[in-house]
Amino acid sequence: MLPPLSPEERRHSRSLAGHIRAQLAAAGGWLSFERFMELALYAPGLGYYSAGSVKIGVGGDFVTAPEVSDLFNRCVARQCAEILTTTGGEILELGAGTGRMAAVILNALAAQGVLPERYAILEVSADLAARQRARLAQLPAQLRERVVWLERLPASPVRGVMLANEVADALPCRRFTWRDGAVRELGVALAAGSGEEISFREQSAAADAALLRACEGLLASLEGELPQGYASEVCLRVQPWIASLSECLARGVLLLCDYGLPRRHYYHRERASGTLRCHFKQRAHADPYINVGVQDITAWVDFTRIAEAALAANLTVSGFATQAAFLLAAGLEGLVAEADDGAPRARLAGEARRLVMPEEMGEAFKFMALTRGYDSPLSGFALQDLRHLL
Ligand SMILES: C[S@@+](CC[C@H](N)C(=O)[O-])C[C@H]1O[C@@H](n2cnc3c(N)ncnc32)[C@H](O)[C@@H]1O
């Protein structure tokens, strides 16, 4: 059972549903799931990320690792320090959420004497950008002055680090189903007899050439046929996204963290209804057609697709590790041990367990390092290697 919508949430959700209904009508009654997800999350002024709900954190819909514990942020800071020591330059964070990770990273780098020339944030959500500004305004002046918000990727290529935690899973994805030996695209139509309440339903259609090509590629790499009625996701936005990031990376490391799997595990025949997840008030469920505009919609990341996109964009795939392996290699245990004995250490130990235990975030989340012109060590990847991608 999901919690009920507040009157304000209901009003907001109806407005966005009306907007999607108009888009459906203009498109002849059917939209791809990718377009639906784009509207649900990013329609200007109405989408989940464009509008004002709390979203991230304990009072919101979901909690990300940077909000679970600053141990996560301090480990990422250590990896950034190592990279910046080699490359100099800046940090560019994509989708910085509440700004908490940025604040912790800047403080940690200041303490180590390896501050970036600037800390740039590219955030598509005006609401989250406002929250980031409020939080980062509280930093000491010499840190605050280094933070800038960008409207688009920088025109002059970046030297240093690019960070993206839980951004790839928020890129709108296509959905497909496998029926009678063929791929069909899953999309959205208006549910019949909706009346006052606007509701949507899933409807399949012939797959277009781009989706067919992507599915042929992934089906060829799997062992055996998929079961009848199998449904899953494929994110065609990954390739242009990675290509655009690659274009503006002169030298350094793009560090991605997200929940996801290598392809052969992602499209396992037993994961027969895909990886799509919605988050509403700390509950996870699988129905993207309810609560539109007031719940998050995500799909797991196919890290093989990220690696392929990176190679096609002339980046090197230099590291791939579970979150647990990354954080432990980056010194998580030492950070816990440094804390004062008693309650402070016990609290950090609890947070560390949540970050690394396999049944919590430790295995489902992965770190990947994509590099250009960077041959120095990446200590966060010392405990695991690229064999996980095979
Ligand atoms: C799930 S939240 C993660 C936020 C934060 N990184 C964290 O871990 O708490 C996804 C974030 O990505 C942003 N986002 C989505 N698409 C983006 C894009 N193409 N470029 C930059 N940010 C994007 C969203 O606005 C949001 O801030």
Side-chain angles (χ1 to χ4, degrees), residues 111-166:
Q112 291 181 62
V114 273
L115 274 173
E117 286 161 14
R118 68 172 188 171
Y119 195 110
I121 294 177
L122 177 63
E123 174 57 72
V124 295
S125 161
D127 171 59
L128 287 174
R131 280 169 71 183
Q132 292 155 17
R133 281 179 205 276
R135 174 170 231 139
L136 297 172
Q138 293 163 24
L139 287 172
Q142 80 274 18
L143 302 185
R144 192 170 71 218
E145 284 159 3
R146 288 170 200 259
V147 186
V148 293
W149 281 264
L150 308 178
E151 292 292 317
R152 58 190 68 83
L153 285 170
S156 49
V158 170
R159 183 167 45 87
V161 190
M162 289 185 190
L163 294 174
N165 189 64
E166 286 204 45

Short mmCIF file of all heavy atoms in Angstrom, two decimals, residues 111-166:
data_model
loop_
_atom_site.label_atom_id
_atom_site.label_comp_id
_atom_site.label_asym_id
_atom_site.label_seq_id
_atom_site.Cartn_x
_atom_site.Cartn_y
_atom_site.Cartn_z
N ALA A 111 40.99 20.29 3.26
CA ALA A 111 41.81 19.75 4.36
C ALA A 111 43.07 19.06 3.83
O ALA A 111 44.11 19.06 4.48
CB ALA A 111 40.97 18.77 5.18
N GLN A 112 42.98 18.49 2.61
CA GLN A 112 44.14 17.80 2.03
C GLN A 112 45.00 18.73 1.18
O GLN A 112 46.00 18.30 0.61
CB GLN A 112 43.67 16.63 1.16
CG GLN A 112 43.06 15.50 1.96
CD GLN A 112 42.63 14.36 1.05
OE1 GLN A 112 43.43 13.74 0.37
NE2 GLN A 112 41.34 14.10 1.01
N GLY A 113 44.57 19.97 1.00
CA GLY A 113 45.33 20.93 0.20
C GLY A 113 45.33 20.62 -1.29
O GLY A 113 46.29 20.92 -1.99
N VAL A 114 44.25 20.00 -1.78
CA VAL A 114 44.16 19.74 -3.23
C VAL A 114 42.84 20.26 -3.78
O VAL A 114 42.10 19.55 -4.48
CB VAL A 114 44.29 18.22 -3.59
CG1 VAL A 114 45.71 17.81 -3.76
CG2 VAL A 114 43.56 17.35 -2.60
N LEU A 115 42.55 21.50 -3.48
CA LEU A 115 41.28 22.08 -3.96
C LEU A 115 41.27 22.18 -5.49
O LEU A 115 42.28 22.52 -6.10
CB LEU A 115 41.08 23.47 -3.35
CG LEU A 115 40.42 23.49 -1.98
CD1 LEU A 115 40.44 24.90 -1.42
CD2 LEU A 115 38.99 22.96 -2.03
N PRO A 116 40.11 21.89 -6.11
CA PRO A 116 40.01 22.10 -7.55
C PRO A 116 39.95 23.60 -7.86
O PRO A 116 39.57 24.40 -7.00
CB PRO A 116 38.66 21.44 -7.89
CG PRO A 116 37.87 21.54 -6.63
CD PRO A 116 38.84 21.45 -5.50
N GLU A 117 40.34 23.94 -9.11
CA GLU A 117 40.27 25.36 -9.50
C GLU A 117 38.83 25.87 -9.36
O GLU A 117 38.59 26.99 -8.96
CB GLU A 117 40.75 25.52 -10.94
CG GLU A 117 42.26 25.38 -11.06
CD GLU A 117 42.71 25.09 -12.49
OE1 GLU A 117 41.90 25.25 -13.44
OE2 GLU A 117 43.88 24.67 -12.65
N ARG A 118 37.88 24.99 -9.75
CA ARG A 118 36.48 25.34 -9.50
C ARG A 118 35.68 24.04 -9.36
O ARG A 118 36.15 22.96 -9.76
CB ARG A 118 35.89 26.21 -10.62
CG ARG A 118 35.73 25.50 -11.94
CD ARG A 118 34.96 26.37 -12.95
NE ARG A 118 34.66 25.58 -14.14
CZ ARG A 118 33.87 25.97 -15.12
NH1 ARG A 118 33.27 27.14 -15.08
NH2 ARG A 118 33.65 25.20 -16.17
N TYR A 119 34.51 24.15 -8.75
CA TYR A 119 33.60 23.01 -8.62
C TYR A 119 32.34 23.39 -9.38
O TYR A 119 31.54 24.20 -8.92
CB TYR A 119 33.28 22.74 -7.15
CG TYR A 119 32.66 21.38 -6.89
CD1 TYR A 119 33.36 20.37 -6.23
CD2 TYR A 119 31.35 21.08 -7.32
CE1 TYR A 119 32.79 19.12 -5.99
CE2 TYR A 119 30.79 19.84 -7.09
CZ TYR A 119 31.51 18.87 -6.43
OH TYR A 119 30.95 17.62 -6.20
N ALA A 120 32.23 22.85 -10.61
CA ALA A 120 31.09 23.21 -11.46
C ALA A 120 29.99 22.18 -11.29
O ALA A 120 30.25 20.98 -11.13
CB ALA A 120 31.55 23.27 -12.92
N ILE A 121 28.75 22.64 -11.33
CA ILE A 121 27.59 21.74 -11.21
C ILE A 121 26.70 21.96 -12.42
O ILE A 121 26.35 23.09 -12.74
CB ILE A 121 26.80 22.04 -9.92
CG1 ILE A 121 27.65 21.69 -8.69
CG2 ILE A 121 25.48 21.25 -9.90
CD1 ILE A 121 26.98 22.01 -7.35
N LEU A 122 26.37 20.84 -13.09
CA LEU A 122 25.39 20.91 -14.17
C LEU A 122 24.15 20.17 -13.68
O LEU A 122 24.21 18.96 -13.43
CB LEU A 122 25.93 20.24 -15.44
CG LEU A 122 24.96 20.20 -16.62
CD1 LEU A 122 24.59 21.59 -17.09
CD2 LEU A 122 25.55 19.41 -17.79
N GLU A 123 23.07 20.91 -13.48
CA GLU A 123 21.87 20.34 -12.86
C GLU A 123 20.66 20.70 -13.73
O GLU A 123 20.43 21.87 -14.01
CB GLU A 123 21.73 20.92 -11.44
CG GLU A 123 20.46 20.54 -10.74
CD GLU A 123 20.28 19.05 -10.63
OE1 GLU A 123 20.99 18.43 -9.86
OE2 GLU A 123 19.43 18.49 -11.37
N VAL A 124 19.92 19.69 -14.17
CA VAL A 124 18.76 19.99 -15.03
C VAL A 124 17.53 20.41 -14.21
O VAL A 124 16.59 20.96 -14.75
CB VAL A 124 18.38 18.79 -15.94
CG1 VAL A 124 19.48 18.49 -16.93
CG2 VAL A 124 18.04 17.56 -15.11
N SER A 125 17.55 20.13 -12.91
CA SER A 125 16.40 20.45 -12.06
C SER A 125 16.60 21.82 -11.42
O SER A 125 17.48 22.01 -10.57
CB SER A 125 16.25 19.38 -10.98
OG SER A 125 15.45 19.87 -9.92
N ALA A 126 15.74 22.80 -11.80
CA ALA A 126 15.85 24.15 -11.22
C ALA A 126 15.62 24.08 -9.71
O ALA A 126 16.28 24.78 -8.93
CB ALA A 126 14.84 25.07 -11.87
N ASP A 127 14.71 23.22 -9.29
CA ASP A 127 14.39 23.08 -7.88
C ASP A 127 15.61 22.57 -7.10
O ASP A 127 15.97 23.13 -6.05
CB ASP A 127 13.20 22.13 -7.75
CG ASP A 127 12.94 21.76 -6.32
OD1 ASP A 127 12.70 22.67 -5.53
OD2 ASP A 127 13.00 20.55 -5.99
N LEU A 128 16.25 21.51 -7.61
CA LEU A 128 17.43 20.99 -6.90
C LEU A 128 18.59 21.98 -6.95
O LEU A 128 19.33 22.13 -5.99
CB LEU A 128 17.84 19.62 -7.48
CG LEU A 128 16.89 18.47 -7.10
CD1 LEU A 128 17.28 17.18 -7.82
CD2 LEU A 128 16.90 18.23 -5.59
N ALA A 129 18.74 22.70 -8.08
CA ALA A 129 19.81 23.70 -8.18
C ALA A 129 19.63 24.76 -7.08
O ALA A 129 20.61 25.20 -6.47
CB ALA A 129 19.84 24.32 -9.56
N ALA A 130 18.37 25.14 -6.82
CA ALA A 130 18.12 26.14 -5.76
C ALA A 130 18.52 25.57 -4.40
O ALA A 130 19.11 26.26 -3.56
CB ALA A 130 16.64 26.55 -5.78
N ARG A 131 18.21 24.30 -4.18
CA ARG A 131 18.60 23.68 -2.90
C ARG A 131 20.12 23.59 -2.77
O ARG A 131 20.69 23.79 -1.70
CB ARG A 131 17.99 22.28 -2.78
CG ARG A 131 16.53 22.37 -2.36
CD ARG A 131 15.83 21.06 -2.50
NE ARG A 131 16.23 20.06 -1.52
CZ ARG A 131 15.76 18.81 -1.53
NH1 ARG A 131 14.87 18.43 -2.43
NH2 ARG A 131 16.15 17.94 -0.63
N GLN A 132 20.78 23.28 -3.90
CA GLN A 132 22.26 23.22 -3.88
C GLN A 132 22.84 24.59 -3.53
O GLN A 132 23.75 24.70 -2.71
CB GLN A 132 22.77 22.77 -5.26
CG GLN A 132 22.42 21.33 -5.60
CD GLN A 132 22.38 21.07 -7.10
OE1 GLN A 132 22.89 21.84 -7.90
NE2 GLN A 132 21.78 19.95 -7.49
N ARG A 133 22.27 25.65 -4.14
CA ARG A 133 22.78 27.00 -3.88
C ARG A 133 22.65 27.34 -2.40
O ARG A 133 23.57 27.89 -1.78
CB ARG A 133 22.01 28.03 -4.70
CG ARG A 133 22.45 28.10 -6.15
CD ARG A 133 21.61 29.13 -6.92
NE ARG A 133 21.59 28.83 -8.32
CZ ARG A 133 22.53 29.19 -9.19
NH1 ARG A 133 23.56 29.87 -8.77
NH2 ARG A 133 22.45 28.85 -10.47
N ALA A 134 21.49 27.00 -1.82
CA ALA A 134 21.26 27.33 -0.41
C ALA A 134 22.26 26.57 0.47
O ALA A 134 22.83 27.13 1.41
CB ALA A 134 19.83 26.99 -0.02
N ARG A 135 22.48 25.30 0.16
CA ARG A 135 23.39 24.51 1.00
C ARG A 135 24.83 24.99 0.85
O ARG A 135 25.55 25.18 1.84
CB ARG A 135 23.28 23.04 0.61
CG ARG A 135 24.30 22.20 1.34
CD ARG A 135 24.04 20.73 1.14
NE ARG A 135 24.01 20.07 2.41
CZ ARG A 135 23.15 19.12 2.74
NH1 ARG A 135 22.23 18.76 1.90
NH2 ARG A 135 23.21 18.53 3.90
N LEU A 136 25.26 25.20 -0.40
CA LEU A 136 26.67 25.52 -0.62
C LEU A 136 27.00 26.96 -0.24
O LEU A 136 28.16 27.31 -0.04
CB LEU A 136 27.06 25.20 -2.07
CG LEU A 136 26.92 23.69 -2.39
CD1 LEU A 136 27.11 23.40 -3.86
CD2 LEU A 136 27.89 22.85 -1.56
N ALA A 137 25.96 27.79 -0.08
CA ALA A 137 26.18 29.17 0.39
C ALA A 137 26.71 29.16 1.82
O ALA A 137 27.29 30.14 2.29
CB ALA A 137 24.87 29.96 0.32
N GLN A 138 26.51 28.04 2.53
CA GLN A 138 26.96 27.97 3.92
C GLN A 138 28.44 27.59 4.05
O GLN A 138 29.00 27.56 5.15
CB GLN A 138 26.13 26.95 4.68
CG GLN A 138 24.67 27.40 4.82
CD GLN A 138 23.77 26.24 5.20
OE1 GLN A 138 24.21 25.26 5.77
NE2 GLN A 138 22.50 26.38 4.88
N LEU A 139 29.09 27.28 2.93
CA LEU A 139 30.52 26.92 2.98
C LEU A 139 31.35 28.16 3.28
O LEU A 139 30.94 29.28 2.96
CB LEU A 139 30.95 26.35 1.62
CG LEU A 139 30.47 24.96 1.24
CD1 LEU A 139 30.84 24.66 -0.22
CD2 LEU A 139 31.08 23.90 2.15
N PRO A 140 32.56 27.97 3.83
CA PRO A 140 33.46 29.12 3.99
C PRO A 140 33.72 29.78 2.64
O PRO A 140 33.70 29.10 1.60
CB PRO A 140 34.75 28.49 4.53
CG PRO A 140 34.40 27.11 4.96
CD PRO A 140 33.14 26.71 4.28
N ALA A 141 33.98 31.11 2.67
CA ALA A 141 34.07 31.88 1.42
C ALA A 141 35.04 31.28 0.42
O ALA A 141 34.74 31.20 -0.79
CB ALA A 141 34.46 33.32 1.74
N GLN A 142 36.21 30.79 0.88
CA GLN A 142 37.22 30.33 -0.10
C GLN A 142 36.77 29.04 -0.81
O GLN A 142 37.30 28.71 -1.88
CB GLN A 142 38.63 30.19 0.52
CG GLN A 142 38.88 28.93 1.32
CD GLN A 142 38.43 29.08 2.77
OE1 GLN A 142 37.66 29.97 3.12
NE2 GLN A 142 38.90 28.20 3.63
N LEU A 143 35.78 28.34 -0.24
CA LEU A 143 35.23 27.16 -0.94
C LEU A 143 34.02 27.57 -1.77
O LEU A 143 33.88 27.18 -2.93
CB LEU A 143 34.82 26.09 0.08
CG LEU A 143 35.92 25.58 1.02
CD1 LEU A 143 35.40 24.45 1.88
CD2 LEU A 143 37.13 25.12 0.21
N ARG A 144 33.15 28.35 -1.16
CA ARG A 144 31.92 28.80 -1.82
C ARG A 144 32.23 29.48 -3.15
O ARG A 144 31.55 29.28 -4.14
CB ARG A 144 31.29 29.81 -0.86
CG ARG A 144 29.90 30.23 -1.15
CD ARG A 144 29.38 31.01 0.03
NE ARG A 144 30.00 32.33 0.19
CZ ARG A 144 30.31 32.88 1.35
NH1 ARG A 144 30.08 32.24 2.48
NH2 ARG A 144 30.84 34.07 1.39
N GLU A 145 33.31 30.26 -3.17
CA GLU A 145 33.66 31.03 -4.38
C GLU A 145 34.06 30.14 -5.55
O GLU A 145 34.09 30.59 -6.69
CB GLU A 145 34.82 31.99 -4.06
CG GLU A 145 34.37 33.19 -3.27
CD GLU A 145 35.51 33.86 -2.52
OE1 GLU A 145 36.68 33.41 -2.67
OE2 GLU A 145 35.22 34.82 -1.77
N ARG A 146 34.41 28.89 -5.25
CA ARG A 146 34.82 28.00 -6.34
C ARG A 146 33.64 27.31 -7.02
O ARG A 146 33.80 26.64 -8.04
CB ARG A 146 35.76 26.90 -5.80
CG ARG A 146 37.10 27.45 -5.45
CD ARG A 146 37.94 26.43 -4.70
NE ARG A 146 38.99 27.15 -4.00
CZ ARG A 146 40.25 27.26 -4.41
NH1 ARG A 146 40.65 26.60 -5.48
NH2 ARG A 146 41.13 27.97 -3.75
N VAL A 147 32.45 27.43 -6.43
CA VAL A 147 31.30 26.69 -6.97
C VAL A 147 30.58 27.53 -8.02
O VAL A 147 30.25 28.69 -7.77
CB VAL A 147 30.31 26.31 -5.84
CG1 VAL A 147 29.19 25.42 -6.39
CG2 VAL A 147 31.03 25.61 -4.70
N VAL A 148 30.35 26.91 -9.19
CA VAL A 148 29.58 27.59 -10.24
C VAL A 148 28.53 26.63 -10.77
O VAL A 148 28.74 25.41 -10.76
CB VAL A 148 30.46 28.06 -11.42
CG1 VAL A 148 31.41 29.16 -10.99
CG2 VAL A 148 31.23 26.91 -12.05
N TRP A 149 27.42 27.16 -11.23
CA TRP A 149 26.37 26.34 -11.85
C TRP A 149 26.38 26.61 -13.35
O TRP A 149 26.43 27.78 -13.77
CB TRP A 149 25.00 26.65 -11.26
CG TRP A 149 24.81 25.96 -9.95
CD1 TRP A 149 24.18 24.77 -9.72
CD2 TRP A 149 25.27 26.41 -8.67
NE1 TRP A 149 24.23 24.44 -8.40
CE2 TRP A 149 24.90 25.43 -7.72
CE3 TRP A 149 25.98 27.53 -8.22
CZ2 TRP A 149 25.20 25.55 -6.36
CZ3 TRP A 149 26.29 27.65 -6.87
CH2 TRP A 149 25.89 26.66 -5.95
N LEU A 150 26.35 25.55 -14.12
CA LEU A 150 26.40 25.67 -15.58
C LEU A 150 25.01 25.38 -16.16
O LEU A 150 24.28 24.55 -15.63
CB LEU A 150 27.40 24.67 -16.17
CG LEU A 150 28.81 24.67 -15.57
CD1 LEU A 150 29.66 23.59 -16.25
CD2 LEU A 150 29.48 26.04 -15.75
N GLU A 151 24.71 26.03 -17.24
CA GLU A 151 23.45 25.79 -17.96
C GLU A 151 23.59 24.61 -18.91
O GLU A 151 22.63 23.95 -19.27
CB GLU A 151 23.06 27.03 -18.77
CG GLU A 151 22.68 28.23 -17.92
CD GLU A 151 21.38 28.01 -17.17
OE1 GLU A 151 20.44 27.48 -17.78
OE2 GLU A 151 21.33 28.34 -15.96
N ARG A 152 24.81 24.41 -19.38
CA ARG A 152 25.09 23.32 -20.33
C ARG A 152 26.53 22.89 -20.12
O ARG A 152 27.26 23.53 -19.35
CB ARG A 152 24.88 23.77 -21.77
CG ARG A 152 25.72 24.97 -22.20
CD ARG A 152 25.29 25.51 -23.54
NE ARG A 152 23.98 26.10 -23.44
CZ ARG A 152 23.74 27.36 -23.01
NH1 ARG A 152 24.75 28.13 -22.65
NH2 ARG A 152 22.53 27.84 -22.93
N LEU A 153 26.93 21.81 -20.79
CA LEU A 153 28.31 21.34 -20.63
C LEU A 153 29.27 22.45 -21.07
O LEU A 153 28.96 23.21 -21.99
CB LEU A 153 28.53 20.08 -21.49
CG LEU A 153 27.90 18.81 -20.91
CD1 LEU A 153 27.96 17.67 -21.91
CD2 LEU A 153 28.58 18.41 -19.60
N PRO A 154 30.43 22.55 -20.40
CA PRO A 154 31.33 23.66 -20.69
C PRO A 154 31.86 23.63 -22.13
O PRO A 154 32.11 22.55 -22.68
CB PRO A 154 32.48 23.48 -19.69
CG PRO A 154 32.32 22.15 -19.10
CD PRO A 154 30.93 21.68 -19.32
N ALA A 155 32.05 24.82 -22.71
CA ALA A 155 32.54 24.90 -24.09
C ALA A 155 34.02 24.53 -24.15
O ALA A 155 34.48 23.88 -25.08
CB ALA A 155 32.32 26.31 -24.62
N SER A 156 34.78 24.93 -23.11
CA SER A 156 36.20 24.55 -23.14
C SER A 156 36.39 23.29 -22.30
O SER A 156 35.92 23.21 -21.15
CB SER A 156 37.09 25.68 -22.64
OG SER A 156 36.57 26.16 -21.44
N PRO A 157 37.06 22.27 -22.90
CA PRO A 157 37.13 20.96 -22.25
C PRO A 157 37.73 20.99 -20.84
O PRO A 157 38.59 21.80 -20.53
CB PRO A 157 38.01 20.15 -23.21
CG PRO A 157 37.83 20.82 -24.52
CD PRO A 157 37.67 22.28 -24.23
N VAL A 158 37.23 20.09 -20.02
CA VAL A 158 37.58 20.01 -18.60
C VAL A 158 38.82 19.16 -18.40
O VAL A 158 38.98 18.10 -19.01
CB VAL A 158 36.40 19.33 -17.85
CG1 VAL A 158 36.76 18.99 -16.42
CG2 VAL A 158 35.15 20.20 -17.91
N ARG A 159 39.68 19.60 -17.49
CA ARG A 159 40.79 18.77 -17.02
C ARG A 159 40.48 18.49 -15.55
O ARG A 159 40.19 19.44 -14.81
CB ARG A 159 42.09 19.56 -17.16
CG ARG A 159 43.37 18.84 -16.79
CD ARG A 159 44.57 19.64 -17.29
NE ARG A 159 44.45 21.07 -17.01
CZ ARG A 159 44.83 21.67 -15.87
NH1 ARG A 159 45.37 20.96 -14.91
NH2 ARG A 159 44.67 22.98 -15.71
N GLY A 160 40.50 17.23 -15.16
CA GLY A 160 40.20 16.91 -13.76
C GLY A 160 39.20 15.77 -13.64
O GLY A 160 39.39 14.71 -14.25
N VAL A 161 38.14 16.00 -12.87
CA VAL A 161 37.19 14.93 -12.53
C VAL A 161 35.77 15.33 -12.93
O VAL A 161 35.35 16.46 -12.69
CB VAL A 161 37.16 14.67 -11.00
CG1 VAL A 161 36.36 13.41 -10.68
CG2 VAL A 161 38.56 14.57 -10.43
N MET A 162 35.05 14.38 -13.53
CA MET A 162 33.60 14.54 -13.69
C MET A 162 32.93 13.49 -12.81
O MET A 162 33.36 12.32 -12.82
CB MET A 162 33.18 14.30 -15.14
CG MET A 162 33.60 15.37 -16.11
SD MET A 162 32.89 14.95 -17.70
CE MET A 162 33.72 16.12 -18.73
N LEU A 163 31.90 13.89 -12.09
CA LEU A 163 31.21 12.97 -11.18
C LEU A 163 29.74 12.86 -11.56
O LEU A 163 29.11 13.89 -11.87
CB LEU A 163 31.25 13.52 -9.75
CG LEU A 163 32.59 13.62 -9.04
CD1 LEU A 163 32.40 14.34 -7.70
CD2 LEU A 163 33.17 12.23 -8.82
N ALA A 164 29.19 11.66 -11.50
CA ALA A 164 27.75 11.50 -11.72
C ALA A 164 27.25 10.36 -10.85
O ALA A 164 27.46 9.18 -11.18
CB ALA A 164 27.44 11.23 -13.19
N ASN A 165 26.64 10.70 -9.73
CA ASN A 165 26.06 9.67 -8.86
C ASN A 165 24.57 9.57 -9.11
O ASN A 165 23.84 10.56 -8.94
CB ASN A 165 26.32 9.99 -7.39
CG ASN A 165 25.92 8.83 -6.49
OD1 ASN A 165 26.52 7.75 -6.58
ND2 ASN A 165 24.88 8.99 -5.68
N GLU A 166 24.12 8.39 -9.49
CA GLU A 166 22.69 8.16 -9.79
C GLU A 166 22.13 9.17 -10.79
O GLU A 166 21.06 9.74 -10.57
CB GLU A 166 21.85 8.17 -8.49
CG GLU A 166 22.06 6.90 -7.68
CD GLU A 166 20.87 6.61 -6.76
OE1 GLU A 166 19.73 6.71 -7.22
OE2 GLU A 166 21.12 6.25 -5.59
#
